[in-house]
Amino acid sequence: MTFNIEDYGVAPAGQDAVRPFAVEGLDVRGRAISLGPVVDRILGRHDYPEPVSRLLAEAIALTSLLGTSLKFEGRFTLQTQSDGPVSMLVVDFSSPDAMRACASFDETQVKALMSAGAATPENLLGRGHLAMTIDQGKHMQRYQGLVELDGISLEEVARRYFARSEQIPTEVRLAVGEVLTRSEGDAPEHRWTAGGVLVQFLPEAPERMRQPDLDPGDAPEGTSDHHIDEDDAWVEAKALVETVKDDELIDPEVTVERLLFRLFHERGVRLFDPQPVKDQCRCSREKVEGVLTTFKAEEVEDMKVGDKIVVKCEFCSTAYEFDAD
């Protein structure tokens, strides 16, 4: 049977928008996103190696799912620091919808992994930590949660973060794709896409959310196993999310509404208003000039190129030129 979301009186959110949803029959809530022009513009201006672009796109999709959940004017920042070829990822979301992102990497190490066919996200990140920071403004306390990077994917990072910091059972799927289109007589056109879905188990009775604290392998020898059965509703919800294919998350023709209907129509899925995401940096000439005025004279002298000082934003690649005097 062909499913048309319009038949249900719901307009598709389209690309570059997060669609919150709830499945009351399974006591889960979640968010889904399809990214197109936003992620393509961010990656296009940086021109990173393909594996680095894919990794950053995953981080952008994950940050979109998490950042749009803020209920206040603030910032959500996802940042990695590790010993891998990609030593740092930074994705910065300012509510309600502004996104910017960049990466730092060792080009030689990345090329070596690519030549060996081993440029996986886990190998690119290496070992270190990932920080998720929520900044509620200068008069409010900042909150930060850390997750160890030990050869795990960004999907697993999100699962561990919510299990340990929030005690919320969470399942995440992320995917990144490349679209090549060609018109007769023209060179192929390349576009990046990305998508993701995040589902959390939030029953009214907190005891239904209980999870094992330790892997059984961590228990001292001779200790009896302490087993906690997962709630049946959560087991079902996870199993459904695990059926999501990468193609469904990155194909612009597969709307998030169509995907959510396929997953949860038997249980009933309720959709909430979509929240758009924009490619928008927070830099400005005034901010850069304010930073420069704090430097010492000798530091300014070292920055001079002829009689000019040029400062380039790492996020949006905008170059700001100042007279050195």
Side-chain angles (χ1 to χ4, degrees):
M1 182 182 71
T2 301
F3 167 63
N4 294 312
I5 190 67
E6 292 84 358
D7 294 342
Y8 290 78
V10 178
Q15 290 192 305
D16 299 334
V18 173
R19 173 71 83 173
F21 65 91
V23 184
E24 278 86 358
L26 295 175
D27 289 316
V28 301
R29 297 178 73 89
R31 312 174 79 77
I33 189 170
S34 172
L35 285 166
V38 164
V39 72
D40 188 56
R41 283 195 294 268
I42 291 175
L43 298 181
R45 71 168 61 100
H46 290 301
D47 195 26
Y48 295 142
E50 184 263 348
V52 178
S53 290
R54 284 184 172 274
L55 183 60
L56 185 59
E58 277 196 19
I60 292 170
L62 179 58
T63 301
S64 299
L65 293 170
L66 300 177
T68 53
S69 66
L70 296 180
K71 305 300 182 185
F72 50 82
E73 291 294 322
R75 289 170 52 200
F76 175 88
T77 304
L78 181 151
Q79 180 172 338
T80 68
Q81 287 190 325
S82 63
D83 62 3
V86 180
S87 58
M88 185 173 67
L89 295 172
V90 182
V91 187
D92 185 64
F93 179 89
S94 298
S95 61
D97 54 15
M99 178 79 67
R100 61 180 189 167
C102 65
S104 295
F105 62 96
D106 185 297
E107 188 171 358
T108 301
Q109 293 182 29
V110 171
K111 286 183 176 179
L113 284 180
M114 293 174 67
S115 298
T120 63
E122 295 84 354
N123 289 337
L124 289 169
L125 287 172
R127 296 182 177 274
H129 70 267
L130 180 146
M132 297 187 188
T133 305
I134 298 174
D135 189 343
Q136 304 179 67
K138 62 182 180 180
H139 299 300
M140 301 290 288
Q141 185 174 3
R142 201 172 65 153
Y143 172 79
Q144 185 175 80
L146 297 176
V147 179
E148 182 184 6
L149 293 174
D150 53 3
I152 61 175
S153 65
L154 289 180
E155 292 177 340
E156 182 59 26
V157 164
R159 296 184 193 109
R160 291 187 185 182
Y161 170 79
F162 282 103
R164 297 175 181 179
S165 299
E166 309 290 338
Q167 287 79 53
I168 300 175
T170 301
E171 184 59 38
V172 182
R173 282 285 287 111
L174 303 170
V176 178
E178 297 177 85
V179 178
L180 288 174
T181 57
R182 183 171 186 171
S183 301
E184 188 174 351
D186 295 330
E189 181 183 346
H190 174 277
R191 291 183 291 116
W192 286 101
T193 65
V197 58
L198 178 146
V199 177
Q200 297 184 309
F201 185 47
L202 296 166
E204 290 187 9
E207 60 270 16
R208 293 177 59 199
M209 297 167 58
R210 292 181 62 198
Q211 303 260 291
D213 291 329
L214 295 173
D215 185 282
D218 296 331
E221 186 176 351
T223 302
S224 59
D225 290 342
H226 178 55
H227 182 72
I228 298 177
D229 291 325
E230 289 187 306
D231 190 275
D232 289 344
W234 178 235
V235 171
E236 180 180 343
K238 281 203 306 180
L240 290 171
V241 174
E242 288 168 359
T243 68
V244 176
K245 300 178 176 62
D246 286 358
D247 288 349
E248 294 178 292
L249 292 173
I250 61 177
D251 187 346
E253 300 301 317
V254 180
T255 66
V256 294
E257 293 81 11
R258 184 185 297 271
L259 173 61
L260 294 173
F261 180 82
R262 180 186 76 75
L263 291 176
F264 301 116
H265 68 277
E266 291 186 356
R267 288 290 192 168
V269 57
R270 186 153 59 101
L271 305 180
F272 302 98
D273 291 340
Q275 297 169 257
V277 176
K278 297 190 300 188
D279 166 30
Q280 181 177 312
C281 192
R282 292 189 294 107
C283 73
S284 69
R285 183 176 182 84
E286 291 72 22
K287 288 182 179 179
V288 175
E289 187 172 3
V291 172
L292 288 175
T293 58
T294 66
F295 290 174
K296 297 178 180 178
E298 56 269 25
E299 293 175 320
V300 173
E301 189 67 27
D302 290 339
M303 299 171 65
K304 290 173 63 175
V305 179
D307 60 350
K308 301 291 183 181
I309 292 175
V310 179
V311 179
K312 185 177 180 180
C313 176
E314 291 293 330
F315 286 100
C316 67
S317 300
T318 300
Y320 296 95
E321 186 176 287
F322 299 88
D323 183 273
D325 292 335

